[in-house]
Amino acid sequence: MKILICYFSGTGNTKRVIDKYVEVFKDKGCEVDTFRVENQNFNYNLNDYDKIGLAYPIHAFNAPAIIFSFIKKFPKLESEKPLFIIKTSGEPLKLNNISSIKPMSILKKKNFKLTNEYHYCMPYNIIFRHTDSMAYKMWETAKQLIPIDAQEILDGKEVKLKKFPFGRPLAFVFRIEHWGGRFNGKRYKVKDNCAHCNACVKICPTHNITVENGEFHFGKNCIMCMRCAFLCKENAIKIGLFEKWKVNGPYTFQKPEKEEEDNHKKYCKKSYQKYFKRAEEKIANAKKLTVEENSVKEFDEDLGKSAQN
Ligand SMILES: Cc1cc2nc3c(=O)[nH]c(=O)nc-3n(C[C@H](O)[C@H](O)[C@H](O)COP(=O)(O)O)c2cc1C
């Protein structure tokens, strides 16, 4: 099976998930290509693939602006093409499910058929920093879910996320973030502790940061992906109106030696509990099925052997 996954990842969470998908698909004998949406030239013929994947981090209950510009350029396909969507987001609220409504209405007109949709909780890159143990737990959970979800995609088992009441108008309202990002992005500032490594200039997916005579200039194409501020080694970038929500420094995704104080333990507590409980159930169920399948296989092999004897 030939699969193409197009993805955007601001600060690495979605990329981490997609890398795992690629590993799993390849292990299962699929041919997989990936396209990072910020790369300029999209030279793939979508008709050549059996399945297309689209992956993104959720931004204000929507897909990021860069995903919209990308899919709008897709051609109309000759025949209906199965599409799976993969999303990552910091909290597991059901409201996040609305993020695919608009992208799907664009893609449906181009002959894509949504067959599978998955959402993985990954640590926040804005609002607040998740604890290392939470980041570890999220990634360990995703790592176990991905092989199960990937198999569902390959088996053609349709899986969709639950609809949210008034999802379409709500998503429309929250898409103010696309405009707000541009507005706020122009208000980014660089602090005096900047080491002038210019990493931010090089990594910005929209080439929105320029530097002239040591002065940084933030243009009007910010998509609020947080990459510049999140990865700045000196924590020297101020993110305008959202400075209080800034998260700086990549997560290690390692189990910490000591349990840290969690200042946000009450935040969306029930939602996280539900997310992890459902994930545990799905993982346990898949393990049970594998044990059962293996026992049936062993039984069949034994039967075959005794028939030969
Ligand atoms: C501008 C912005 C808006 C976000 N909005 C949401 C949101 O609505 N819901 C949510 O759960 N997480 C939200 N997040 C958190 C990210 O979706 C989450 O951290 C994601 O895993 C980041 O993925 P990435 O590292 O691939 O960019 C938002 C992040 C940013 C930068």
Side-chain angles (χ1 to χ4, degrees), residues 46-47 49-50 52 77 79-83 111-113:
L46 295 164
N47 293 304
Y49 294 89
D50 301 299
I52 309 289
L77 300 180
S79 57
E80 200 173 64
K81 187 72 62 190
L83 175 97
N111 234 347
F112 289 88
K113 182 180 185 279

Side-chain angles (χ1 to χ4, degrees), residues 43 51 143 146 166 188 199 240 243 250 278 280 291 301 303:
N43 293 326
K51 289 179 194 281
K143 263 197 306 194
I146 290 167
F166 306 105
Y188 280 27
E243 180 60 14
R278 280 218 193 104
E280 272 166 26
V291 171
E301 280 166 7
L303 264 185

Side-chain angles (χ1 to χ4, degrees), residues 236-255:
I237 299 180
K238 287 173 87 175
I239 58 167
L241 301 171
F242 299 98
E243 180 60 14
K244 286 225 167 81
W245 282 3
K246 186 172 67 182
V247 176
N248 176 256
Y251 291 92
T252 64
F253 294 99
Q254 302 291 317
K255 193 174 185 170

Side-chain angles (χ1 to χ4, degrees), residues 31 52 81 110 126 155 160 171 219 243 251 282 302:
E31 222 180 286
I52 309 289
K81 187 72 62 190
K110 296 176 187 266
I126 192 169
D155 290 345
K160 304 223 183 115
E243 180 60 14
Y251 291 92
K282 189 168 186 180
D302 287 348

